[in-house]
Amino acid sequence: YTIVIPPPNVTGVLHMGHMLNNTIQDVLIRRARMLGFNACWVPGTDHASIATEAKVVALLKEQGIQKKDLSREAFLNHAWEWKNKYGGIILKQLEKLGASCDWDRTKFTMDPDMSEAVLDTFIHLYNKGLIYRGVRMVNWDPQSLTAVSDEEVIYKESNSKLVYVKYKIENSEDFITVATTRPETIMGDTAVCVNPSDERYAHLKGKKVCVPVVNRWVPVIFDEYVDAAFGTGALKVTPAHDINDFNLGQKHQLPSIDALTADGKISEAAGAYVGMDRFVCRKQIIKDLQEQGLVEKIEDIKNKVGHSERTDAVIEPKLSMQWFLKMDEISKPALEAVLGGDVKLIPEKFVNTYKHWMENVHDWCISRQLWWGQRIPAWYDNNGNTVVSKTKEEAFAQLKNKNSELKIEQIKQDEDVLDTWFSSWLWPLTVFDANVVKNGWDNANADLKYYYPTNDLVTAPEILFFWVARMIIAGKEFTKQKPFTNVYLTGIVRDKLGRKMSKSLGNSPDPIDLINQYGADGVRVGMMLCSPAGNDLMFDESYCEQGRNFANKVWNAFRLIKGFESSNTETQPTSSKAAIQWFENKFNEQLEIIDDHYAKYRMSDALMATYKLVWDDFCAWYLEAIKPEFVNGKSMPIDTATLNATIHFLEKLLKLMHPWMPFITEEIWHLLEERKEMDCVIVAQWPTATKAADSKLLAEFEVCK
RNA sequence: GGGAGCUUAGCUCAGCUGGUUCAGAGCACCUGCCUUACAAGCAGGGGGUCACUGGUUCGAACCCAGUAGUUCCCACCA
C-alpha cells in the first residue's frame, strides 16, 4: 500500500490546504499499516520554479541585488542557498502534524537523479517527435518575464473603459469607429475587421483606413469572427497582442507589429510612446486622442482580465519562441484509464470535468524563461541547427555532423528551463527509480516494481489537469501502467463565510498556531469532521475545539480505567456481564460500519462513527454501567474479569482512533500497560469483528436504556 | 456563451435500490446540575413546508420537467 505525497513547494510553509490533504493521507496510511500492509508514504518537495525564483528575486532585491546583474551561475547559487536554508521547514511542519511518512525516502524534484530523469524525458519525447519548438501566442507574465501556461492564468472580472476611436477612411472625410479596451496597442494595428454581412460597412471593401497616432494605412478586412452587435461592429486587429487577432492575422496574412517589450513597456517597433509603461500609456493615449478629436465616446464595461497566478501581474498575450509537447496522441491512454475505471476519481463527478479537458487538450508549452529548474537540453550552433542531448560534448558531436567547421565554444544551450510540472508529472515513478525513463520499465529497479502503481493519490481538484492527468499520461507512456488506482480529490478550505482562504484576505489561520492551541490530534479531528469528499469545507476553529474536547474525553476515560482498583475476590455483577456482552456486540456492529465508510473514502463519516462509538457507547453507557459503586466516600474495587474486559475494549478503541489521533492514542497505549519494545499502536493490528453483531441483543439494550 | 454540481434544523452535513433505521447526526441553542474520570463535563429539552412549482406513482427528501438561488469547470467578449 503506497501513497506518494503531492510535493509541496520547497520554500513554502504549511497552509490549511496542506493540513487537510496530509491529514487524509496520514489517516489512510496509518490504517493501511494497521491492516497489515507494507505501507509506504513517500514525502518530498517540489522546486516550483516560478514561485521559488520569484521569492529569491525578491530576497535579493531587499539586499539591493538585481537579478539582471547576476550571472546564471551566481543566481543559482543564491537559489540553492535559499533552498538549503528553508527547504526543510515544511517537512518539519508535516512531522509536527503527525505525518507518518517514510522520511528516509524524502525526495526533491531537483535532486540530481530527479533532474536527470527530466532531461531523459525531454530527450525521449523529442526523439519520438512529440516535442517541437515554435512561435506561438503565449500568456506572458511581464513581471516574472516568462511564459506561463493557460492553467496559470486567472481571469478576474474588472471594470474597464471601452474607448471608441475614430479611424479616418481613405479618400474620404468619413471615419470608421472601433471600440477597444486596449488603446495602447493601437500602434500594433495592422487591419480593421468587420463582419461581411454587416451592411453598415459594405462600402469599405478594398478601402484602407488610417491608424491614429502613427498615421499608418491599414486594410479593412471582412471576417465572420466579428460580432456586429458589439461596440460599433468594427474591430481593430492587433495580431501581436491578442490571440483572436493573431488568428485573424494568420488567416488574412496580416503583418504583425510587436508594440510591447517583454516587461510591458511600449517598444521601439511601436513608433510612439516608446519606453512608456503599458498602463501609463493607455491613459496618455486616450488623452491625446481626445485632444485630436478622435475619441467618439468612452463607456464603462466589465470584462475579464487575465492575471498571473504567481505574480498577479496582468498577463500579456505575446508572440514568442517556446517549446511545446504535442498532447493529442500521448493523452489518449490517460483518458481511457479514467473513463474505463482503471483509475478512479473520488468523487466521481470529476470524471466529466476530466473527460472534457482531455478531449480538448492543447499542446503543452513546457518552456519557462527562468533559471531555477531543469535547463532545456537543446543546443544551437551558429548556423541555425538544433540538437537535443544531455551534455555539451554529445551535442557538439551531433552538430559537427551538420556543420563541420563548428568549434565547441560556438554552441549554445537553450536559456530556458522546463515547466515545473514537466518534472512533477514523473513524481510517482522517479521517487522510486529515477532511471526508469532511460532504462525502460522492463529494467526498472526492484523498488519501482514493488511499489508501482501506487494506491491512493490525495490532492486538490485544482490540479487535476496540471498534475494528476499528466502523471497518468507519463505513467502510461513510460510504464504502460497507471500511476495510482484511486484519486481522492479534497475540497477547498474556505472560511466560515465561504471565502477561499488566502494570504491576501488574511482569513487563513496558521496551522502551527492551531496545533499549539488545540494539539495536533485536536486539529486533525477538527479538520476531518468538516471534510466531505470533494466538497469544499467551511472551516471554523470551533471544529478544532470539538477535536480537542474529544481528545480530552478520551484522556479522562483512560484516567478512570487506570484508577480502578482490581480485586480477585469481587464477583462480577450481572449488570457488568451484560454491559460487556452488549459493548462487544456494539463494537462489532460499528466496526463494520466504520470499515465500510473507509472503503468508500467517506472520511468524515468514518470519524463520526468512531467518535460516537467512543463517546456515547463506551464512555456514556458502558463505563457508567461497569463503574463500581461508591461507598463511604470511597470507590469499591472492580472485579478482575470486568477490568480486563474494559482494558481490552479500550485497546481496541485506541486502535480505531489511532489514524485520526496518533499522539494521544500512542501515549495512552503505553501508559495503559507495560509494553514490549515494538508493541506500539501505530503497528498494532486493526480490529476485526470476532463475530457478527447480535442485533437482537443490541435492540434489547436500547429498551433498557 | 457551453458544461457539471449543489439547495434537508441556527451552522456543517448524512440520508445508498422510492416504502418500519424516514425526517437523522455532530456542533450551536434552552433548562437543570461544580454528583470524586471528565463543566473541554453530565442529565433532560426545543427546533425542519427536505429551495419553489408541477408531473409520474398506491406511496416522493429520493424519479421526471420547469423556475429561482448558489458553487465550480471550460471558452473567453474586442
Side-chain angles (χ1 to χ4, degrees):
Chain A
Y1 184 92
T2 307
I3 298 179
V4 291
I5 204 170
N9 177 353
V10 66
T11 60
V13 290
L14 202 67
H15 60 61
M16 297 303 286
H18 294 126
M19 183 108 150
L20 169 66
N21 215 321
N22 288 291
T23 302
I24 294 169
Q25 290 173 72
D26 195 46
V27 170
L28 293 172
I29 204 85
R30 283 181 187 273
R31 178 162 174 275
R33 196 179 289 124
M34 294 173 79
L35 285 169
F37 291 100
N38 181 2
C40 176
W41 183 14
V42 182
T45 47
D46 188 287
H47 66 280
S49 353
I50 297 183
T52 305
E53 180 151 333
K55 275 187 192 177
V56 175
V57 167
L59 183 81
L60 290 173
K61 205 169 179 182
E62 276 173 33
Q63 299 169 3
I65 305 171
Q66 297 287 326
K67 181 189 166 191
K68 62 176 165 46
D69 297 334
L70 291 174
S71 70
R72 188 176 188 123
E73 285 63 36
F75 178 83
L76 287 176
N77 284 340
H78 280 109
W80 278 108
E81 199 179 304
W82 165 272
K83 184 263 170 189
N84 292 333
K85 196 165 169 190
Y86 300 104
I89 291 180
I90 195 155
L91 296 177
K92 284 278 167 277
Q93 291 181 316
L94 284 176
E95 280 183 45
K96 201 164 180 187
L97 179 66
S100 60
C101 300
D102 288 38
W103 296 104
D104 293 344
R105 289 185 178 271
T106 303
K107 296 296 270 183
F108 172 51
T109 53
M110 267 173 77
D111 283 343
D113 58 334
M114 301 290 273
S115 285
E116 200 164 318
V118 173
L119 302 186
D120 289 333
T121 304
F122 185 94
I123 293 165
H124 168 95
L125 294 172
Y126 180 82
N127 290 338
K128 248 184 127 172
L130 295 177
I131 286 180
Y132 62 93
R133 195 171 185 231
V135 173
R136 289 295 138 90
M137 180 75 65
V138 295
N139 306 296
W140 185 261
D141 178 344
Q143 192 171 318
S144 57
L145 300 179
T146 179
V148 297
S149 67
D150 292 345
E151 291 78 13
E152 288 165 309
V153 180
I154 314 293
Y155 287 91
K156 295 186 193 170
E157 183 120 311
S158 43
N159 297 313
S160 303
K161 303 277 183 208
L162 186 61
V163 185
Y164 288 72
V165 184
K166 299 200 286 191
Y167 288 41
K168 191 168 188 313
I169 298 167
E170 177 183 40
N171 302 327
S172 154
E173 291 306 306
D174 287 341
F175 292 86
I176 179 169
T177 305
V178 303
T180 178
T181 54
R182 304 211 51 199
E184 74 277 15
T185 63
I186 277 178
M187 291 84 81
D189 287 0
T190 53
V192 165
C193 187
V194 297
N195 194 296
S197 61
D198 192 335
E199 286 170 14
R200 292 174 293 174
Y201 301 117
H203 65 287
L204 294 177
K205 191 155 279 178
K207 296 268 186 184
K208 293 199 170 205
V209 297
C210 181
V211 178
V213 182
V214 287
N215 296 320
R216 188 157 34 74
W217 292 94
V218 299
V220 176
I221 60 168
F222 294 80
D223 198 287
E224 301 285 347
Y225 167 73
V226 176
D227 175 6
F230 187 92
T232 60
L235 167 72
K236 74 184 202 57
V237 183
T238 322
H241 298 292
D242 183 280
I243 181 66
N244 297 303
D245 292 13
F246 174 73
N247 293 336
L248 280 174
Q250 297 264 299
K251 195 167 159 188
H252 297 270
Q253 290 159 2
L254 298 171
S256 159
I257 300 169
D258 192 345
L260 291 172
T261 61
D263 59 350
K265 295 194 170 67
I266 307 302
S267 72
E268 292 282 344
Y273 304 101
V274 175
M276 192 181 279
D277 176 81
R278 54 188 167 148
F279 299 114
V280 176
C281 179
R282 183 179 300 174
K283 284 190 183 138
Q284 187 61 43
I285 210 164
I286 291 173
K287 205 174 145 215
D288 293 348
L289 287 171
Q290 277 174 326
E291 280 170 11
Q292 294 170 43
L294 291 175
V295 175
E296 193 176 292
K297 60 177 173 177
I298 298 177
E299 281 176 356
D300 288 320
I301 188 179
K302 276 196 197 314
N303 65 346
K304 296 208 169 162
V305 178
H307 292 253
S308 163
E309 190 186 31
R310 307 286 188 180
T311 64
D312 205 40
V314 173
I315 291 293
E316 202 60 62
K318 184 177 166 65
L319 286 173
S320 66
M321 182 71 94
Q322 304 286 345
W323 288 92
F324 293 87
L325 174 60
K326 278 188 204 159
M327 293 297 276
D328 46 0
E329 284 303 320
I330 200 175
S331 65
K332 277 192 179 126
L335 173 60
E336 283 156 23
V338 170
L339 293 186
D342 195 23
V343 173
K344 283 196 197 65
L345 303 187
I346 300 156
E348 261 178 74
K349 66 176 177 185
F350 288 107
V351 173
N352 281 334
T353 327
Y354 182 87
K355 178 167 180 268
H356 186 259
W357 192 79
M358 291 297 268
E359 284 173 348
N360 297 286
V361 65
H362 303 295
D363 285 356
W364 176 10
C365 175
I366 54 174
S367 45
R368 295 289 181 278
Q369 289 65 49
L370 301 166
W371 285 344
W372 179 245
Q374 288 91 13
R375 190 167 176 179
I376 293 177
W379 307 80
Y380 311 105
D381 71 0
N382 49 4
N383 267 356
N385 294 311
T386 303
V387 295
V388 164
S389 68
K390 216 183 261 183
T391 65
K392 191 170 189 174
E393 288 67 32
E394 288 172 61
F396 178 61
Q398 286 184 48
L399 283 169
K400 190 110 174 140
N401 293 334
K402 302 181 183 178
N403 179 356
S404 55
E405 302 292 298
L406 190 68
K407 297 194 180 78
I408 194 158
E409 307 83 57
Q410 292 171 313
I411 74 171
K412 283 208 174 83
Q413 186 175 1
D414 197 295
E415 291 293 328
D416 293 352
V417 299
L418 288 158
D419 181 12
T420 306
W421 301 106
F422 196 81
S423 69
S424 37
W425 73 328
L426 303 172
W427 185 249
L429 294 164
T430 49
V431 292
F432 296 113
D433 182 359
N435 294 316
V436 63
V437 174
K438 192 167 51 191
N439 298 343
W441 170 253
D442 292 336
N443 301 311
N445 69 13
D447 256 16
L448 187 66
K449 291 231 159 146
Y450 181 78
Y451 290 109
Y452 193 91
T454 68
N455 294 71
D456 296 341
L457 177 80
V458 179
T459 193
E462 299 158 305
I463 55 174
L464 185 58
F465 311 124
F466 274 131
W467 194 46
V468 180
R470 287 169 184 166
M471 279 191 287
I472 303 175
I473 293 171
K476 288 285 181 180
E477 174 70 17
F478 298 113
T479 72
K480 303 274 177 273
Q481 293 181 67
K482 60 188 173 183
F484 29 69
T485 304
N486 302 298
V487 181
Y488 179 104
L489 296 154
T490 65
I492 296 166
V493 184
R494 298 173 177 278
D495 66 11
K496 63 176 170 182
L497 299 174
R499 300 173 305 178
K500 201 168 164 176
M501 287 195 171
S502 72
K503 252 186 237 162
S504 52
L505 270 175
N507 58 348
S508 176
D510 178 352
I512 299 302
D513 286 348
L514 290 176
I515 288 176
N516 291 336
Q517 201 177 342
Y518 300 102
D521 288 344
V523 178
R524 289 167 64 112
V525 169
M527 201 87 217
M528 299 312 296
L529 277 172
C530 60
S531 60
N535 280 337
D536 290 358
L537 55 115
M538 308 301 157
F539 180 81
D540 187 79
E541 260 190 63
S542 66
Y543 285 109
C544 295
E545 207 176 314
Q546 194 182 344
R548 179 203 57 187
N549 293 354
F550 182 50
N552 195 47
K553 184 74 186 176
V554 171
W555 181 253
N556 283 317
F558 159 71
R559 275 181 49 208
L560 173 70
I561 295 167
K562 194 67 186 165
F564 284 153
E565 199 182 312
S566 80
S567 159
N568 294 325
T569 55
E570 290 293 319
T571 52
Q572 186 176 40
T574 50
S575 60
S576 294
K577 203 169 178 179
I580 290 166
Q581 206 186 3
W582 167 75
F583 189 75
E584 197 176 339
N585 277 282
K586 189 75 196 175
F587 183 91
N588 289 342
E589 177 199 64
Q590 292 303 308
L591 177 61
E592 199 181 323
I593 291 171
I594 291 165
D595 282 338
D596 186 54
H597 284 318
Y598 274 113
K600 292 173 180 152
Y601 292 86
R602 303 168 64 131
M603 307 302 281
S604 51
D605 291 335
L607 172 58
M608 186 46 72
T610 309
Y611 179 96
K612 287 200 281 188
L613 178 65
V614 172
W615 199 312
D616 298 347
D617 298 320
F618 186 68
C619 295
W621 286 104
Y622 175 81
L623 287 180
E624 289 302 329
I626 59 109
K627 197 157 75 172
E629 269 182 282
F630 239 83
V631 179
N632 300 331
K634 203 174 174 309
S635 176
M636 301 304 286
I638 190 166
D639 67 278
T640 324
T642 304
L643 179 61
N644 289 341
T646 305
I647 289 174
H648 181 61
F649 286 152
L650 179 59
E651 285 183 343
K652 293 218 286 190
L653 291 171
L654 287 173
K655 291 176 184 176
L656 291 194
M657 287 186 281
H658 181 259
W660 313 100
M661 317 167 85
F663 293 100
I664 193 173
T665 49
E666 199 66 76
E667 178 146 9
I668 293 177
W669 185 262
H670 288 281
L671 290 172
L672 196 58
E673 273 179 22
E674 282 294 314
R675 304 275 178 187
K676 293 200 193 93
E677 203 185 350
M678 293 302 286
D679 184 4
C680 299
V681 70
I682 189 174
V683 289
Q685 200 191 350
W686 187 256
T688 45
T690 39
K691 60 177 186 205
D694 182 342
S695 53
K696 196 165 149 237
L697 188 140
L698 289 171
E700 280 168 10
F701 193 88
E702 286 306 309
V703 176
C704 295
K705 280 183 183 176

